[in-house]
Amino acid sequence: MKPFFFLLFPLFFLSKITSIHTLQIPSKSLLPSLDQTTLNKNLDNDTIYKISKQLCWNCLGEAIQFLFHHNLVRATKMELPLTWDSNLEKYAKWWASSRKEDCRLMHSFPESDFKLGENIYWGSGSTWTPTDAVNAWADEQKYYNYASNSCVEGQLCGHYTQIVWKSTRRVGCARVICDSGDVFMTCNYFPPGNYIGEKPY
């Protein structure tokens, strides 16, 4: 069965992550091997994986999958790679665990109130992976028109534009197998993207 996912919305939820307002964007000097010469090269998957590992401190398994595939997509637009953020991961895990009982595809916040970005994904059955979620979001690139900065009519592209958003620096995600046996995944981003009237890159 085909997976479903919703358009990215920004997010604000300080009561669950009290330190979210203190997140610091890493300076370029802290990012390994990311001078303009490196970015201008045709980065291969192995290089992007090594960079992602360096930007994912104490990460295991699914966290690396999420981060690596986000950074593969960002590399196609020559955007700096994202860093894994444990506070965003905790928030994502909280929301994913909240969805475990019903696996309902819904965002964790009211649409009008935000500080973070959020992508969500649902897949029928238990085999869907972080790679599947990020690839599904990235596949929306075909529906994004850069010249008009809009999605093709009737299609979604906000998941893709959040992934490649030029000022986004951090991500944290979670995956849960719901009581139904289906999969729910969510990623949160800081700073958020998808500002009306601004282009992602």
CSV table of all heavy atoms in Angstrom, one decimal, residues 166-200:
chain,number,residue,atom,x,y,z
A,166,LYS,N,17.4,26.7,3.0
A,166,LYS,CA,18.8,27.2,3.1
A,166,LYS,C,19.2,27.5,4.6
A,166,LYS,O,20.4,27.4,4.9
A,166,LYS,CB,19.0,28.4,2.3
A,166,LYS,CG,18.1,29.6,2.6
A,166,LYS,CD,18.1,30.7,1.5
A,166,LYS,CE,16.9,31.6,1.8
A,166,LYS,NZ,16.3,32.1,0.5
A,167,SER,N,18.3,28.0,5.4
A,167,SER,CA,18.7,28.4,6.8
A,167,SER,C,18.5,27.3,7.8
A,167,SER,O,18.9,27.5,9.0
A,167,SER,CB,18.0,29.7,7.2
A,167,SER,OG,16.6,29.5,7.2
A,168,THR,N,17.9,26.2,7.5
A,168,THR,CA,17.7,25.1,8.4
A,168,THR,C,19.0,24.5,8.7
A,168,THR,O,19.8,24.2,7.8
A,168,THR,CB,16.7,24.1,7.9
A,168,THR,OG1,15.4,24.7,7.7
A,168,THR,CG2,16.5,22.9,8.8
A,169,ARG,N,19.3,24.2,9.9
A,169,ARG,CA,20.6,23.7,10.3
A,169,ARG,C,20.6,22.4,11.1
A,169,ARG,O,21.5,21.6,11.2
A,169,ARG,CB,21.4,24.7,11.1
A,169,ARG,CG,21.9,25.9,10.3
A,169,ARG,CD,23.0,25.5,9.3
A,169,ARG,NE,23.4,26.7,8.5
A,169,ARG,CZ,22.9,26.9,7.3
A,169,ARG,NH1,21.9,26.2,6.8
A,169,ARG,NH2,23.3,28.0,6.6
A,170,ARG,N,19.4,22.1,11.8
A,170,ARG,CA,19.3,21.0,12.7
A,170,ARG,C,18.1,20.2,12.4
A,170,ARG,O,17.0,20.7,12.0
A,170,ARG,CB,19.3,21.4,14.1
A,170,ARG,CG,20.6,22.1,14.5
A,170,ARG,CD,20.5,22.7,15.9
A,170,ARG,NE,21.8,23.3,16.3
A,170,ARG,CZ,22.6,23.0,17.3
A,170,ARG,NH1,22.2,22.0,18.1
A,170,ARG,NH2,23.7,23.7,17.5
A,171,VAL,N,18.2,18.9,12.7
A,171,VAL,CA,17.0,18.0,12.5
A,171,VAL,C,17.0,16.9,13.6
A,171,VAL,O,18.1,16.6,14.1
A,171,VAL,CB,17.0,17.3,11.1
A,171,VAL,CG1,18.2,16.4,11.0
A,171,VAL,CG2,15.7,16.6,10.8
A,172,GLY,N,15.9,16.5,14.0
A,172,GLY,CA,15.7,15.3,14.9
A,172,GLY,C,14.5,14.6,14.5
A,172,GLY,O,13.4,15.2,14.2
A,173,CYS,N,14.5,13.3,14.4
A,173,CYS,CA,13.4,12.5,13.9
A,173,CYS,C,13.1,11.3,14.8
A,173,CYS,O,14.0,10.9,15.7
A,173,CYS,CB,13.7,12.0,12.5
A,173,CYS,SG,14.3,13.2,11.3
A,174,ALA,N,12.0,10.6,14.5
A,174,ALA,CA,11.7,9.4,15.3
A,174,ALA,C,10.8,8.5,14.4
A,174,ALA,O,10.0,9.0,13.5
A,174,ALA,CB,11.0,9.7,16.6
A,175,ARG,N,10.8,7.2,14.6
A,175,ARG,CA,10.0,6.2,13.9
A,175,ARG,C,9.4,5.3,15.0
A,175,ARG,O,10.0,4.9,16.0
A,175,ARG,CB,10.9,5.4,13.0
A,175,ARG,CG,10.2,4.2,12.3
A,175,ARG,CD,11.2,3.4,11.5
A,175,ARG,NE,10.6,2.3,10.8
A,175,ARG,CZ,10.4,1.1,11.4
A,175,ARG,NH1,10.9,0.8,12.6
A,175,ARG,NH2,9.9,0.1,10.7
A,176,VAL,N,8.1,5.0,14.8
A,176,VAL,CA,7.4,4.1,15.7
A,176,VAL,C,6.6,3.1,14.9
A,176,VAL,O,6.0,3.5,13.9
A,176,VAL,CB,6.6,4.9,16.8
A,176,VAL,CG1,5.4,5.6,16.1
A,176,VAL,CG2,6.1,4.0,17.9
A,177,ILE,N,6.5,1.9,15.4
A,177,ILE,CA,5.6,0.9,14.8
A,177,ILE,C,4.3,1.0,15.7
A,177,ILE,O,4.4,0.8,16.9
A,177,ILE,CB,6.1,-0.5,14.8
A,177,ILE,CG1,7.3,-0.6,13.9
A,177,ILE,CG2,5.0,-1.5,14.4
A,177,ILE,CD1,8.0,-1.9,13.9
A,178,CYS,N,3.2,1.4,15.1
A,178,CYS,CA,2.0,1.6,15.9
A,178,CYS,C,1.3,0.3,16.3
A,178,CYS,O,1.7,-0.8,15.8
A,178,CYS,CB,1.0,2.4,15.0
A,178,CYS,SG,1.6,4.0,14.4
A,179,ASP,N,0.4,0.4,17.2
A,179,ASP,CA,-0.3,-0.8,17.7
A,179,ASP,C,-1.0,-1.6,16.5
A,179,ASP,O,-1.2,-2.8,16.6
A,179,ASP,CB,-1.4,-0.4,18.7
A,179,ASP,CG,-0.8,0.1,20.0
A,179,ASP,OD1,0.5,0.0,20.2
A,179,ASP,OD2,-1.5,0.7,20.8
A,180,SER,N,-1.3,-0.8,15.5
A,180,SER,CA,-2.0,-1.4,14.3
A,180,SER,C,-1.0,-2.2,13.4
A,180,SER,O,-1.4,-2.9,12.5
A,180,SER,CB,-2.6,-0.3,13.4
A,180,SER,OG,-1.6,0.5,12.9
A,181,GLY,N,0.3,-2.0,13.7
A,181,GLY,CA,1.4,-2.7,12.9
A,181,GLY,C,1.9,-1.8,11.8
A,181,GLY,O,2.8,-2.1,11.0
A,182,ASP,N,1.3,-0.6,11.6
A,182,ASP,CA,1.7,0.4,10.6
A,182,ASP,C,2.9,1.3,11.2
A,182,ASP,O,3.2,1.2,12.4
A,182,ASP,CB,0.6,1.3,10.1
A,182,ASP,CG,-0.5,0.4,9.5
A,182,ASP,OD1,-0.2,-0.6,8.9
A,182,ASP,OD2,-1.7,0.9,9.5
A,183,VAL,N,3.5,2.1,10.4
A,183,VAL,CA,4.6,2.9,10.8
A,183,VAL,C,4.2,4.4,10.7
A,183,VAL,O,3.6,4.9,9.8
A,183,VAL,CB,5.8,2.6,9.9
A,183,VAL,CG1,6.9,3.6,10.2
A,183,VAL,CG2,6.3,1.2,10.2
A,184,PHE,N,4.6,5.1,11.8
A,184,PHE,CA,4.5,6.6,11.8
A,184,PHE,C,5.9,7.1,12.0
A,184,PHE,O,6.7,6.7,12.9
A,184,PHE,CB,3.6,7.0,13.0
A,184,PHE,CG,3.5,8.5,13.1
A,184,PHE,CD1,2.5,9.2,12.4
A,184,PHE,CD2,4.3,9.3,13.9
A,184,PHE,CE1,2.4,10.6,12.5
A,184,PHE,CE2,4.2,10.6,14.0
A,184,PHE,CZ,3.2,11.3,13.3
A,185,MET,N,6.3,8.1,11.2
A,185,MET,CA,7.6,8.8,11.4
A,185,MET,C,7.4,10.3,11.3
A,185,MET,O,6.5,10.8,10.7
A,185,MET,CB,8.6,8.4,10.3
A,185,MET,CG,9.1,7.0,10.4
A,185,MET,SD,10.3,6.5,9.1
A,185,MET,CE,9.2,5.6,8.0
A,186,THR,N,8.2,11.0,12.1
A,186,THR,CA,8.2,12.5,12.1
A,186,THR,C,9.6,13.0,12.3
A,186,THR,O,10.5,12.4,12.9
A,186,THR,CB,7.3,12.9,13.3
A,186,THR,OG1,7.3,14.4,13.3
A,186,THR,CG2,7.8,12.4,14.6
A,187,CYS,N,9.8,14.2,11.6
A,187,CYS,CA,11.1,14.9,11.7
A,187,CYS,C,10.8,16.3,12.0
A,187,CYS,O,9.8,16.9,11.5
A,187,CYS,CB,11.9,14.8,10.4
A,187,CYS,SG,12.6,13.2,10.0
A,188,ASN,N,11.6,16.9,12.9
A,188,ASN,CA,11.5,18.3,13.3
A,188,ASN,C,12.7,19.1,12.9
A,188,ASN,O,13.8,18.5,13.0
A,188,ASN,CB,11.2,18.5,14.8
A,188,ASN,CG,9.8,17.9,15.1
A,188,ASN,OD1,9.7,16.8,15.7
A,188,ASN,ND2,8.7,18.6,14.7
A,189,TYR,N,12.6,20.3,12.5
A,189,TYR,CA,13.7,21.1,11.9
A,189,TYR,C,13.8,22.5,12.6
A,189,TYR,O,12.8,23.1,13.0
A,189,TYR,CB,13.4,21.4,10.4
A,189,TYR,CG,13.1,20.1,9.6
A,189,TYR,CD1,11.8,19.6,9.6
A,189,TYR,CD2,14.1,19.5,9.0
A,189,TYR,CE1,11.6,18.4,8.9
A,189,TYR,CE2,13.9,18.3,8.3
A,189,TYR,CZ,12.6,17.8,8.2
A,189,TYR,OH,12.4,16.6,7.5
A,190,PHE,N,15.1,22.9,12.8
A,190,PHE,CA,15.3,24.2,13.3
A,190,PHE,C,16.5,24.9,12.6
A,190,PHE,O,17.5,24.2,12.4
A,190,PHE,CB,15.6,24.1,14.8
A,190,PHE,CG,15.8,25.5,15.5
A,190,PHE,CD1,14.8,26.2,15.9
A,190,PHE,CD2,17.1,26.0,15.6
A,190,PHE,CE1,15.0,27.5,16.4
A,190,PHE,CE2,17.3,27.2,16.2
A,190,PHE,CZ,16.3,28.0,16.6
A,191,PRO,N,16.5,26.1,12.3
A,191,PRO,CA,15.3,26.9,12.2
A,191,PRO,C,14.3,26.4,11.1
A,191,PRO,O,14.7,25.7,10.2
A,191,PRO,CB,15.8,28.3,11.7
A,191,PRO,CG,17.2,28.3,12.0
A,191,PRO,CD,17.7,26.9,11.9
A,192,PRO,N,13.0,26.7,11.3
A,192,PRO,CA,12.0,26.1,10.3
A,192,PRO,C,12.2,26.8,9.0
A,192,PRO,O,12.7,27.9,8.8
A,192,PRO,CB,10.7,26.5,11.0
A,192,PRO,CG,11.0,27.7,11.8
A,192,PRO,CD,12.4,27.5,12.3
A,193,GLY,N,11.6,26.2,8.0
A,193,GLY,CA,11.6,26.7,6.6
A,193,GLY,C,10.2,27.0,6.2
A,193,GLY,O,9.3,27.1,7.0
A,194,ASN,N,10.0,27.1,4.9
A,194,ASN,CA,8.7,27.3,4.2
A,194,ASN,C,8.0,28.6,4.6
A,194,ASN,O,6.8,28.6,4.9
A,194,ASN,CB,7.8,26.1,4.5
A,194,ASN,CG,8.2,24.8,3.7
A,194,ASN,OD1,9.1,24.9,2.8
A,194,ASN,ND2,7.6,23.7,4.0
A,195,TYR,N,8.8,29.7,4.6
A,195,TYR,CA,8.3,31.0,4.8
A,195,TYR,C,7.6,31.5,3.5
A,195,TYR,O,8.3,31.4,2.4
A,195,TYR,CB,9.3,32.0,5.3
A,195,TYR,CG,9.7,31.7,6.8
A,195,TYR,CD1,10.8,31.0,7.1
A,195,TYR,CD2,8.9,32.1,7.8
A,195,TYR,CE1,11.2,30.7,8.4
A,195,TYR,CE2,9.2,31.9,9.1
A,195,TYR,CZ,10.4,31.2,9.4
A,195,TYR,OH,10.7,30.9,10.7
A,196,ILE,N,6.4,32.0,3.6
A,196,ILE,CA,5.7,32.5,2.4
A,196,ILE,C,6.5,33.6,1.8
A,196,ILE,O,7.0,34.5,2.4
A,196,ILE,CB,4.3,32.9,2.8
A,196,ILE,CG1,3.5,31.8,3.2
A,196,ILE,CG2,3.7,33.6,1.6
A,196,ILE,CD1,2.1,32.1,3.8
A,197,GLY,N,6.7,33.5,0.5
A,197,GLY,CA,7.4,34.5,-0.3
A,197,GLY,C,8.9,34.3,-0.3
A,197,GLY,O,9.6,35.1,-1.1
A,198,GLU,N,9.5,33.4,0.4
A,198,GLU,CA,10.9,33.1,0.3
A,198,GLU,C,11.2,31.8,-0.4
A,198,GLU,O,10.4,30.8,-0.3
A,198,GLU,CB,11.5,33.0,1.7
A,198,GLU,CG,11.5,34.3,2.5
A,198,GLU,CD,12.1,34.1,3.9
A,198,GLU,OE1,13.0,33.3,4.0
A,198,GLU,OE2,11.7,34.8,4.8
A,199,LYS,N,12.3,31.8,-1.1
A,199,LYS,CA,12.7,30.5,-1.8
A,199,LYS,C,13.6,29.7,-0.9
A,199,LYS,O,14.3,30.2,-0.1
A,199,LYS,CB,13.4,30.9,-3.1
A,199,LYS,CG,12.5,31.5,-4.2
A,199,LYS,CD,13.2,31.6,-5.5
A,199,LYS,CE,12.1,32.1,-6.6
A,199,LYS,NZ,12.8,32.2,-7.9
A,200,PRO,N,13.5,28.4,-1.1
A,200,PRO,CA,14.2,27.5,-0.2
A,200,PRO,C,15.8,27.5,-0.4
A,200,PRO,O,16.5,27.3,0.6
A,200,PRO,CB,13.7,26.1,-0.5
A,200,PRO,CG,13.2,26.2,-1.9
A,200,PRO,CD,12.7,27.6,-2.1
